[in-house]
Every structure is written in structure tokens, then in C-alpha cells.
Amino acid sequence: MFNWKDEYSCNVSEIDLQHKNLFELGNKLYTIVSLSQKYDRFDEIVKTLEELRNYTIYHFEFEENLLKLHGYENIEEHKKQHEAFIKKVTSIDEEYMDLNQKKVSMDLLTFILDWIGNHILKTDMGYKEFLNNKGIY
Ligand code: FEO
């Protein structure tokens, strides 16, 4: 469902790898949510969502440290976007999610992947040239 496209490339190999991993985790979650609802998949959904959340936090920290190290001037605005996303994903009500499993999981997943895709295309692209000009690929 969430396919990597060349337009997502920031031309920095480690960042591209991490962004690809985020999409892969999103696809893993999508597969679980889409499976037959004959069985309760709540635990599996929560576990994978946790994995996606943790990896996102790891990626944001990596990216922020790299930008800070090279003196990227728009870092504060960029960090604010990261923080708002983490806050949103951390505030998920698991009880409500359990009761409305499929719909809530799908809505949440769509939100997460839309957000990540848009963030990469708009905000992350802002540092592409900056890092490349510093010799970071
Ligand atoms: Fe790749 Fe700013 O997240």
C-alpha cells in the first residue's frame, strides 16, 4: 500500500534507509489490520504500532542530531513538527482502539503514513541540498 518512490529520496543514504524502514513498518501494520477479523488482533496491532512509534522516535533523533551537527538553521521548526507527531501518536486511547479495532487502526495508520509521506516530501526535502552541500550523502 505504501510504496517507496524516488521522489521521497533525500539523497542521504542513511536517512533514505530509515524512511524506507518506516514505510515497511507501516506496511506491516497495514497487513495485520487488513487480515481477517475472525481473530482478535489487538495485541499484534498494539505491538506493531509500538514498533513503528519507537522507530519513528529513533529516526527523528538521528535526523535532528545530524542537522544540529551541521548547523541547519531551520532545525527548531523541524523539531516542532517531530514533537507534534510523537505527541499525537502517543496519545492514542488503546481502550477505544480495542473496541473499534479495524476502523480506528485504519484511520490511525492512514494518518501516520500520510503524515510521514508529507513530512518527507515537504519538510525533510528542505535539508536535502543543505546536507549534500556539506558533503553528506
Ligand atoms: Fe525524516 Fe523529519 O523526519
Side-chain angles (χ1 to χ4, degrees), residues 41-73:
R41 308 220 174 251
F42 182 69
D43 290 348
E44 239 179 310
I45 292 170
V46 169
K47 188 171 162 268
T48 310
L49 187 58
E50 186 67 24
E51 217 180 321
L52 180 62
R53 183 159 50 200
N54 289 341
Y55 192 78
T56 306
I57 292 170
Y58 162 77
H59 164 65
F60 285 169
E61 279 178 8
F62 178 92
E63 196 175 83
E64 286 167 18
N65 287 336
L66 187 67
L67 295 175
K68 201 169 153 191
L69 183 70
H70 294 283
Y72 184 60
E73 63 175 14

Side-chain angles (χ1 to χ4, degrees), residues 15 19 22 59-60 63 78 82 115 119-120 123-124 127:
I15 299 270
H19 286 158
L22 286 173
H59 164 65
F60 285 169
E63 196 175 83
H78 200 134
H82 288 171
W115 190 94
H119 179 78
I120 293 173
T123 311
D124 287 353
Y127 62 64

Side-chain angles (χ1 to χ4, degrees), residues 2 21-35 40-57 85 89 92 94 97 101 105 108-109 112-113 116:
F2 304 100
N21 287 339
L22 286 173
F23 279 102
E24 257 179 50
L25 280 169
N27 279 326
K28 186 176 163 189
L29 191 53
Y30 178 78
T31 305
I32 296 166
V33 175
S34 307
L35 289 171
D40 185 343
R41 308 220 174 251
F42 182 69
D43 290 348
E44 239 179 310
I45 292 170
V46 169
K47 188 171 162 268
T48 310
L49 187 58
E50 186 67 24
E51 217 180 321
L52 180 62
R53 183 159 50 200
N54 289 341
Y55 192 78
T56 306
I57 292 170
F85 177 78
V89 178
I92 297 155
E94 289 183 358
M97 200 171 137
Q101 229 178 83
S105 307
L108 178 66
L109 186 54
I112 290 173
L113 286 141
I116 292 173

